[in-house]
């Protein structure tokens, strides 16, 4: 089993080592195919990471079915929550981000709503309603291909509750009335089962492994198998990229443990053979 763990670590390191990621900026919208030039205020967005802080469980929203919910309804004390802040009529950035997130979730062996995690997407546009959220959610569930019984909530809310959640997560965004668009960073936040901010992953595209590692960390040991946690020890979070990368010392520790185990096993077999020969 230890050999298998080492092989998994090395294979994962090669896969992640070849992937590059950067934090998304407003210019990503133009690179994704928009010809519009954003107003100067639209570039004044960023993420001020609030790691270790708790979100307000009482923040109120409306889900894709029209039901009034609170943020605490999604924090069950058992499963971490993956949170994104987008808006549903966004012409470029949100579509790219949510499509790429859906693709990464499709590649992940876990499904939102199982024993591992939940997903919440909150609209930053207070004018949006469940009539927009419902079809948007269904489109992504269709692309995900895991059926309709998936715990991915698409929420809308008033300006105050949306701004409060964004402020607590450290996510700044701004509205350009001339273009009727919002500028916002492309980021996924991970909450612990109790609502503590545990990790951020940035970019317009995501690796399934980044999502899994973020959920394992946010889950505080309550999600993922022993092997999953051992694999995570082979990687570290690179704050400059907003992603996970191979961790040399972690790989060396695993490789060293495997080497010791192999040598010990070989010596044990040799010792038993010697005992049989002398007997």
């Amino acid at each position: 089993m230890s050999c298998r763990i080492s092989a998994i670590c090395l294979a994962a390191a090669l896969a992640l080592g070849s992937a590059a990621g950067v934090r998304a900026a407003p210019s990503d919208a133009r690179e994704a195919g928009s010809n519009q030039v954003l107003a100067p205020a639209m570039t004044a967005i960023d993420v001020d990471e609030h790691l270790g802080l708790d979100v307000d469980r009482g923040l109120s929203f409306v889900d894709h079915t029209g039901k009034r919910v609170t943020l605490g309804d999604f924090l069950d004390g058992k499963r971490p929550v993956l949170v994104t802040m987008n808006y549903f009529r966004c012409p470029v950035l949100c579509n790219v981000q949510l499509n790429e997130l859906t693709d990464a979730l499709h590649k992940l062996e876990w499904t939102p709503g199982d024993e591992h995690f939940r997903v919440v997407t909150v609209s930053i546009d207070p004018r949006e309603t469940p009539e927009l959220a419902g079809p948007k959610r269904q489109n992504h569930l269709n692309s995900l291909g895991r059926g309709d019984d998936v715990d991915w909530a698409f929420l809308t809310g008033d300006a105050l509750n949306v701004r409060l959640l964004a402020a607590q997560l450290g996510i700044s965004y701004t509205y350009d009335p001339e273009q009727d668009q919002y500028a916002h960073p492309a980021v996924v936040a991970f909450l612990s089962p109790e609502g503590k901010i545990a990790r951020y992953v940035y970019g317009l595209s995501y690796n399934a492994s980044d999502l899994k590692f973020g959920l394992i960390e946010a889950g505080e040991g309550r999600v993922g198998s022993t092997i999953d946690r051992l694999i995570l020890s082979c990687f570290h979070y690179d704050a400059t990229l907003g992603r996970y990368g191979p961790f040399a010392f972690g790989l060396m520790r695993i490789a060293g443990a495997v080497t010791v185990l192999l040598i010990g096993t070989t010596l044990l077999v040799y010792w038993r053979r010697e005992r049989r020969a002398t007997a």
Side-chain angles (χ1 to χ4, degrees):
M1 178 176 175
S2 297
C3 295
R4 179 187 172 200
I5 293 171
S6 180
I8 292 173
C9 287
L10 292 173
L14 290 174
L16 271 178
S18 63
V22 294
R23 296 193 181 191
S27 59
D28 289 331
R30 293 193 297 273
E31 293 169 4
S34 172
N35 293 321
Q36 294 176 317
V37 178
L38 298 176
M42 301 289 273
T43 62
I45 63 171
D46 199 1
V47 177
D48 181 14
E49 296 189 355
H50 292 170
L51 296 172
L53 299 184
D54 294 308
V55 295
D56 182 357
R57 301 172 64 95
L59 294 178
S60 179
F61 300 95
V62 178
D63 72 8
H64 47 271
T65 68
K67 178 183 176 182
R68 177 69 61 177
V69 297
T70 66
L71 193 59
D73 292 332
F74 302 97
L75 301 168
D76 61 8
K78 299 176 182 178
R79 296 171 292 180
V81 180
L82 186 159
V83 178
T84 74
M85 299 197 73
N86 305 95
Y87 68 110
F88 307 136
R89 58 185 186 84
C90 176
V92 181
L93 182 63
C94 295
N95 285 332
V96 175
Q97 182 188 2
L98 289 177
N99 287 342
E100 291 293 329
L101 176 60
T102 301
D103 184 59
L105 291 172
H106 178 74
K107 296 173 182 175
L108 187 65
E109 63 267 32
W110 302 343
T111 299
D114 63 14
E115 70 273 20
H116 296 103
F117 74 113
R118 312 173 80 171
V119 182
V120 174
T121 291
V122 181
S123 171
I124 59 177
D125 187 345
R127 299 169 299 177
E128 295 190 330
T129 65
E131 285 70 30
L132 277 174
K136 188 73 172 179
R137 174 180 181 270
Q138 190 59 52
N139 288 340
H140 286 284
L141 294 193
N142 293 341
S143 298
L144 183 60
R146 305 282 177 90
D148 293 334
D149 190 21
V150 173
D151 196 351
W152 186 351
F154 278 59
L155 308 183
T156 56
D158 60 52
L160 177 60
N161 281 276
V162 172
R163 282 288 181 185
L164 285 173
L165 176 58
Q168 290 169 18
L169 293 175
I171 298 174
S172 61
Y173 60 90
T174 188
Y175 174 66
D176 181 2
E178 292 184 3
Q179 298 182 21
D180 190 24
Q181 291 185 33
Y182 285 84
H184 59 91
V187 59
V188 173
F190 296 84
L191 304 182
S192 75
E194 289 74 31
K196 190 181 298 295
I197 302 169
R199 182 62 68 204
Y200 298 83
V201 170
Y202 299 84
L204 286 174
S205 63
Y206 306 96
N207 295 317
S209 55
D210 284 338
L211 300 184
K212 189 173 188 179
F213 292 158
L215 290 168
I216 292 173
E217 284 197 308
E220 300 173 339
R222 278 171 280 188
V223 300
S225 65
T226 301
I227 291 180
D228 289 331
R229 290 189 285 275
L230 283 171
I231 293 174
L232 178 58
S233 72
C234 299
F235 296 86
H236 78 294
Y237 181 79
D238 188 338
T240 62
L241 296 178
R243 295 177 182 271
Y244 290 85
F247 181 44
F249 289 111
L251 292 171
M252 289 171 63
R253 282 200 303 266
I254 296 293
V258 171
T259 301
V260 170
L261 181 61
L262 290 175
I263 293 174
T265 302
T266 302
L267 291 174
L268 180 61
V269 171
Y270 180 77
W271 177 70
R272 286 182 174 179
R273 287 179 179 175
E274 285 292 311
R275 287 193 61 185
R276 292 195 193 100
T278 56

